[in-house]
Amino acid sequence: MIHPLSDVQSKKIGKNTRIWQFCVVLPKAEIGDNCNICSHCFIENDVVIGNNVTIKNGVNLYDGMRIEDNVFIGPNATFCNDRYPVSTNKNFKLEPIIVKRNASIGANATVLPGVTIGENAIIAAGAIITKDVNDNEKIIGRN
């Protein structure tokens, strides 16, 4: 189901995936089966989302994001792919973020560039993730 008030340009949307109103999905993005993309989300071109992923309201996924199967991303979680953001930056260096299988990221968490979040990891609401998170690790606050 793609809500008529969303702008989904990608043809690579899996079966039984729901994309709600006011979402933008750019043409080269890939979204797997049985996903739920809630309202007011933005998904850039170089983003790959696995199967059974829930992305709650207000999440922006920028180039370089890789989200594996069964991941939960809470409302307004923030992901950054540029360590030194400057308008019209000629020296932009993309630093991808990888979220491994079964990870859960709480509301308003912030994940900085180049980070990998391990399998089954749990990131608490409001946490700031500055470095890799191991498999099965729980992060509250900063790491």
Side-chain angles (χ1 to χ4, degrees):
M1 185 283 300
I2 296 175
H3 195 283
L5 293 178
S6 63
D7 179 9
V8 178
Q9 301 166 28
S10 175
K11 303 295 183 211
K12 296 178 181 176
I13 307 296
K15 292 186 329 185
N16 299 316
T17 286
R18 296 177 309 254
I19 300 176
W20 294 94
Q21 63 271 37
F22 313 120
C23 291
V24 175
V25 181
L26 295 185
K28 295 179 184 174
E30 298 179 27
I31 302 174
D33 297 337
N34 303 308
C35 294
N36 189 33
I37 313 298
C38 295
S39 68
H40 296 90
C41 290
F42 173 75
I43 301 173
E44 211 163 27
N45 276 306
D46 183 20
V47 173
V48 177
I49 299 170
N51 300 316
N52 308 308
V53 172
T54 296
I55 300 174
K56 298 306 276 183
N57 304 26
V59 175
N60 298 314
L61 302 177
Y62 299 110
D63 286 342
M65 289 282 311
R66 299 296 181 265
I67 300 171
E68 295 183 358
D69 296 343
N70 307 310
V71 167
F72 174 86
I73 299 176
N76 301 305
T78 300
F79 299 91
C80 309
N81 67 359
D82 184 0
R83 195 166 302 272
Y84 305 101
V86 176
S87 180
T88 65
N89 183 1
K90 295 180 177 104
N91 298 313
F92 172 75
K93 180 183 178 221
L94 175 72
E95 295 186 58
I97 295 172
I98 299 168
V99 182
K100 299 282 192 165
R101 302 185 72 223
N102 302 311
S104 182
I105 300 172
N108 294 305
T110 299
V111 181
L112 296 184
V115 167
T116 296
I117 296 174
E119 286 189 22
N120 306 305
I122 297 174
I123 309 300
I128 300 172
I129 306 303
T130 61
K131 59 187 178 185
D132 290 350
V133 175
N134 295 323
D135 293 350
N136 305 304
E137 191 171 5
K138 294 177 182 163
I139 302 294
I140 299 170
R142 274 177 207 253
N143 82 325

